[in-house]
Amino acid sequence: MKILYGVPGEGLGHATRSKVVVGHLLAQGHDVRVVSSSRAYTMLAAAFGKQRVLEIRGFHLAYNGLAVSKLRTAVLTLRTAPEDLRVNFARYRDLLGGFEPEVVISDFESFSYFFAKLHRLPVVSIDNMQIISRATLNVAVPRDERGNHQLARSIVRAKLPHSRHYFITTFFDLPLARERTTLVPPIIRPEILAATPSAGRHVLVYQSATTQQNLVPLLQQLPDQEFRVYGFNKQESHGNVQLCAFSEAGFIADLASARAVVTNGGFSLISEAVFLHKPICAIPIPAQFEQWLNAAQVQQMGFGRHFEAITADNLRAFLYGLPAYEAALAGYRQQGNEVLFAHLDEQLRAIREEQPAASAPPSDAWGGE
């Protein structure tokens, strides 16, 4: 089949996961074109070539300190959206030429979805975000997080409405609240699948919001612990704290051999840590409900702890409980990416068989669901 695949440019998690799925689709003989922006475009173009990957203008988050600024993000989006849409659709025409997609797959990316609706193409959603609106939560949302929950739920519900099917990647199981939805295990990149976990002495720390400049002295308050810190892109030694410059191979090696992981609530690293059976201390970035939910589920499942901030006392409490978290993680099982691939292949076969009947969109295709 001819497939258009949309990948958001914000962060590399979407690109890393989509790279795995695109590779599978190409191996199955499908003709795939990818649209993305920013760093995700760079990664995907390097993997699949610029003849398959088109750079578009993407959506970006605006930060206020460590937190996502809703106001600044909204202003930035409203200011740039009309021009971005015009440029993106012009680039779509340049990219496609004689290429006529039969289906669109979107990893929470909007412009490929708009293209699909304009051309009456079926949309398949593959991402972890839809769990916020298409499943029933089993954790209590605290009062100060309810506004973020409602905002996130509204945004997710408005994203990719009335898609043909939603595949939700998740390391936790929740009851589904909507039809045309399938929960599948997280997408794990080949390098992690090939890694051999071991129990080293160090704790891996990943800090994506590098404005937290007090991290090193904070970690030095635990002098009997060894920390390897990624996110500052520096190679420096500070006693028991080693700052590590970015290296994919080095990061994977340190993750596979870590005794534990300290991170924010980002889905990709948490999923990889769970797959490798590494206890997790999750400190979600404020005002990002999806990260809060991932962190809450880590604690709910006994895989680690969820804290609002990194402090020496919180880290001590987390490290004290490592044996219990290791026991809980020992029961987690995942057969690579085979479950998603099997479901996706089946969905694409069904679309091919039903293509003539699937060409007309529902009358309210542009509304919320």
Side-chain angles (χ1 to χ4, degrees):
M1 296 185 72
K2 294 182 178 180
I3 300 171
L4 184 64
Y5 203 118
V7 184
E10 186 70 30
L12 290 179
H14 293 277
T16 300
R17 298 190 294 268
S18 296
K19 179 181 174 183
V20 175
V21 181
V22 171
H24 168 75
L25 294 172
L26 292 173
Q28 295 298 305
H30 299 290
D31 191 358
V32 185
R33 299 291 187 273
V34 181
V35 288
S36 190
S37 61
S38 192
R39 293 190 299 160
Y41 162 77
T42 302
M43 172 190 286
L44 294 167
F48 302 113
K50 293 184 178 181
Q51 72 278 8
R52 287 198 182 277
V53 184
L54 172 69
E55 184 175 18
I56 59 173
R57 294 188 181 183
F59 169 80
H60 299 284
L61 297 176
Y63 285 87
N64 182 10
L66 292 179
V68 174
S69 170
K70 302 182 186 71
L71 177 60
R72 292 173 63 190
T73 296
V75 170
L76 178 63
T77 302
L78 291 173
R79 184 192 307 139
T80 60
E83 176 65 9
D84 289 348
L85 281 170
R86 184 191 67 78
V87 171
N88 284 339
F89 276 103
R91 289 179 177 176
Y92 273 136
R93 288 193 294 270
D94 292 341
L95 165 72
L96 297 178
F99 182 80
E100 298 182 358
E102 301 166 80
V103 61
V104 166
I105 299 176
S106 176
D107 182 351
F108 214 65
E109 194 277 324
S110 294
F111 294 117
S112 57
Y113 171 84
F114 294 151
F115 182 90
K117 292 304 177 182
L118 182 65
H119 293 83
R120 302 189 173 190
L121 299 173
V123 178
V124 176
S125 168
I126 304 177
D127 65 65
N128 61 296
M129 297 290 292
Q130 292 289 342
I131 201 165
I132 295 173
S133 70
R134 306 191 72 84
T136 302
L137 302 188
N138 64 352
V139 292
V141 179
R143 183 181 299 275
D144 59 357
E145 199 64 40
R146 291 173 189 171
N148 294 326
H149 178 206
Q150 292 302 319
L151 177 62
R153 192 165 179 266
S154 298
I155 292 173
V156 172
R157 289 187 67 179
K159 195 94 166 181
L160 316 184
H162 297 284
S163 294
R164 176 190 170 94
H165 202 85
Y166 299 83
F167 292 112
I168 301 176
T169 56
T170 176
F171 63 90
F172 50 93
D173 192 18
L174 294 180
L176 292 175
R178 296 178 180 272
E179 298 179 344
R180 307 189 318 279
T181 307
T182 304
L183 300 183
V184 297
I187 298 169
I188 305 297
R189 49 184 164 157
E191 296 85 355
I192 297 295
L193 293 176
T196 301
S198 60
R201 289 175 44 84
H202 67 277
V203 175
L204 183 140
V205 180
Y206 177 70
Q207 182 65 40
S208 60
T210 54
T211 54
Q212 184 167 342
Q213 299 299 325
N214 67 333
L215 183 61
V216 171
L218 187 153
L219 297 176
Q220 288 176 327
Q221 295 180 42
L222 286 76
D224 56 333
Q225 303 292 334
E226 177 187 345
F227 298 97
R228 298 183 188 176
V229 181
Y230 285 83
F232 293 89
N233 201 24
K234 297 178 180 178
Q235 194 70 39
E236 298 176 359
S237 180
H238 300 269
N240 65 316
V241 181
Q242 179 72 41
L243 298 185
C244 303
F246 177 75
S247 162
E248 184 175 17
F251 180 84
I252 292 173
D254 283 342
L255 173 60
S257 59
R259 61 194 294 250
V261 173
V262 177
T263 183
N264 53 39
F267 181 76
S268 292
L269 180 51
I270 288 181
S271 297
E272 292 179 349
V274 170
F275 179 79
L276 295 171
H277 293 178
K278 303 296 180 180
I280 303 153
C281 180
I283 302 94
I285 294 175
Q288 285 203 35
F289 180 78
E290 182 257 341
Q291 290 209 2
W292 181 92
L293 178 60
N294 293 334
Q297 289 292 339
V298 163
Q299 183 157 304
Q300 172 100 343
M301 300 178 73
F303 293 168
R305 291 295 300 271
H306 168 202
F307 295 112
E308 293 184 0
I310 302 177
T311 68
D313 286 343
N314 286 345
L315 288 176
R316 290 189 186 98
F318 164 66
L319 294 170
Y320 181 80
L322 288 187
Y325 313 143
E326 292 166 351
L329 284 160
Y332 182 85
R333 295 288 183 272
Q334 177 179 340
Q335 295 180 337
N337 303 307
E338 298 310 311
V339 173
L340 169 62
F341 290 165
H343 282 295
L344 179 58
D345 292 346
E346 181 181 359
Q347 189 69 216
L348 293 177
R349 283 193 296 268
I351 290 174
R352 171 171 284 171
E353 293 171 359
E354 301 169 9
Q355 197 75 52
S359 60
S363 59
D364 61 342
W366 295 96
E369 187 176 359

